[in-house]
């Protein structure tokens, strides 16, 4: 079965960096694009970034553009989100999600809490 | 960016009774390929979101048939025919017609 296992997360000071990872199993990872979506405490869902199945294209939300970098290693079935220059408003649970057929987010990781605080 | 607006934001429902959530987009979600990429997600308390409905009205694998979706263009609806206790949670519409993908604010379904 499809599984997305996330790691990383934690407490970090404003201006510092953090890296999240998402390890996939149960499907041909190199055949699917992947997304990051975040959810601030008590708030709704916000799309963060996407990477094409082969890494050829990447798009970011304006709120993270220039600070966050999405990447993937198809040989290891992993995807990462490098977060630099973190701000208090980046505090959220970050989810990785698979880009399924028909432009859906069909499987989600368990989430990783990132807290940006001094 | 496409703005997704859900109503109501809260829906207290009696067990066994129907529930309905509306989602309106600020522009048409019809893609150049002719498909309408509007999905619905369910998020139970403390859980990651789960895909329920895709392309307006298609139930994802394992989703009970009490969930149904309808609509076209800019107006969409998620209906639960008979609410069960396990349906409590937040429901989000999401558009994938263009980047950035955007979500509705979420509708909380709770039991009266």
């Amino acid at each position: 079965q499809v599984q997305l296992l996330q790691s990383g997360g934690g407490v970090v000071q404003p201006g510092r960096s953090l890296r999240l990872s998402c390890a996939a199993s149960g499907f041909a990872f190199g055949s699917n694009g992947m997304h990051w979506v975040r959810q601030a405490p008590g708030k709704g869902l916000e799309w963060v970034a996407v990477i094409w199945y082969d890494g050829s294209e990447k798009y970011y939300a304006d709120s993270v553009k220039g600070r966050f970098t999405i990447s993937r290693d198809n040989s290891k079935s992993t995807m990462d989100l490098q977060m630099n220059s973190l701000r208090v408003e980046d505090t959220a649970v970050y989810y990785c999600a698979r880009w399924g057929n028909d432009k859906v987010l069909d499987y989600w990781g368990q989430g990783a809490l990132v807290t940006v605080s001094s | 960016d496409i703005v997704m607006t859900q109503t109501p934001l809260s829906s207290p429902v009696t067990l066994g009774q129907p529930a309905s959530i509306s989602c309106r987009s600020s522009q048409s979600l019809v893609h150049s390929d002719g498909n309408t990429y509007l999905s619905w997600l369910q998020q139970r308390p403390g859980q990651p979101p789960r895909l329920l409905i895709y392309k307006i009205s298609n139930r994802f694998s394992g989703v009970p048939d009490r969930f149904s979706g309808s609509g076209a263009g800019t107006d969409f609806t998620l209906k639960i025919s008979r609410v069960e206790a396990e349906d409590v949670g937040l429901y989000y519409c999401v558009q994938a017609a263009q980047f950035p993908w955007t979500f509705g604010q979420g509708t909380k379904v709770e039991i009266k």
Side-chain angles (χ1 to χ4, degrees):
Chain A
Q1 71 281 24
V2 174
Q3 286 193 321
L4 300 173
L5 186 61
Q6 297 182 228
S7 59
V11 181
V12 62
Q13 293 179 326
R16 304 299 290 264
S17 300
L18 203 62
R19 191 176 187 92
L20 302 179
S21 293
C22 176
S25 61
F27 68 102
F29 181 71
S31 298
N32 290 79
M34 296 291 294
H35 295 253
W36 288 99
V37 175
R38 69 184 181 183
Q39 186 170 36
K43 303 296 184 182
L45 300 170
E46 179 189 14
W47 178 82
V48 172
V50 62
I51 185 167
W52 255 235
Y53 69 98
D54 59 357
S56 61
E57 293 190 47
K58 306 171 186 179
Y59 293 98
Y60 300 90
D62 285 346
S63 57
V64 307
K65 200 174 297 182
R67 301 186 299 120
F68 289 12
T69 302
I70 190 171
S71 62
R72 66 188 295 158
D73 185 338
N74 286 350
S75 68
K76 296 181 180 178
S77 297
T78 59
M79 175 182 67
D80 289 344
L81 185 68
Q82 176 66 40
M83 303 182 292
N84 298 333
S85 304
L86 281 162
R87 304 168 179 169
V88 170
E89 55 265 34
D90 294 319
T91 295
V93 174
Y94 286 73
Y95 295 102
C96 62
R98 190 179 83 161
W99 188 351
N101 293 335
D102 295 316
K103 298 184 187 292
V104 296
L105 298 167
D106 58 358
Y107 292 95
W108 295 65
Q110 83 276 19
L113 176 61
V114 173
T115 302
V116 184
S117 173
S118 54
Chain B
D1 298 0
I2 297 177
V3 177
M4 305 297 288
T5 303
Q6 288 182 228
T7 54
L9 297 184
S10 179
S11 180
V13 184
T14 301
L15 285 173
Q17 293 301 301
S20 180
I21 301 169
S22 174
C23 175
R24 179 167 291 179
S25 58
S26 60
Q27 56 187 274
S28 174
L29 300 185
V30 180
H31 193 269
S32 55
D33 65 9
N35 290 303
T36 302
Y37 294 110
L38 184 282
S39 301
W40 289 94
L41 306 172
Q42 175 196 59
Q43 187 176 31
R44 291 170 172 153
Q47 296 292 315
R50 164 199 180 199
L51 177 64
L52 291 179
I53 302 284
Y54 64 97
K55 285 199 305 185
I56 303 177
S57 59
N58 297 274
R59 274 187 302 277
F60 188 58
S61 174
V63 174
D65 60 8
R66 64 179 181 274
F67 291 94
S68 64
S70 63
T74 61
D75 286 283
F76 307 94
T77 302
L78 174 70
K79 291 183 179 177
I80 311 173
S81 59
R82 294 172 305 279
V83 171
E84 298 188 4
E86 66 179 17
D87 300 334
V88 165
L90 286 162
Y91 290 79
Y92 296 91
C93 58
V94 52
Q95 68 80 20
Q98 66 181 58
F99 285 111
W101 291 12
T102 46
F103 297 85
Q105 316 97 299
T107 295
K108 186 175 185 179
V109 171
E110 54 191 351
I111 305 302
K112 277 183 188 175

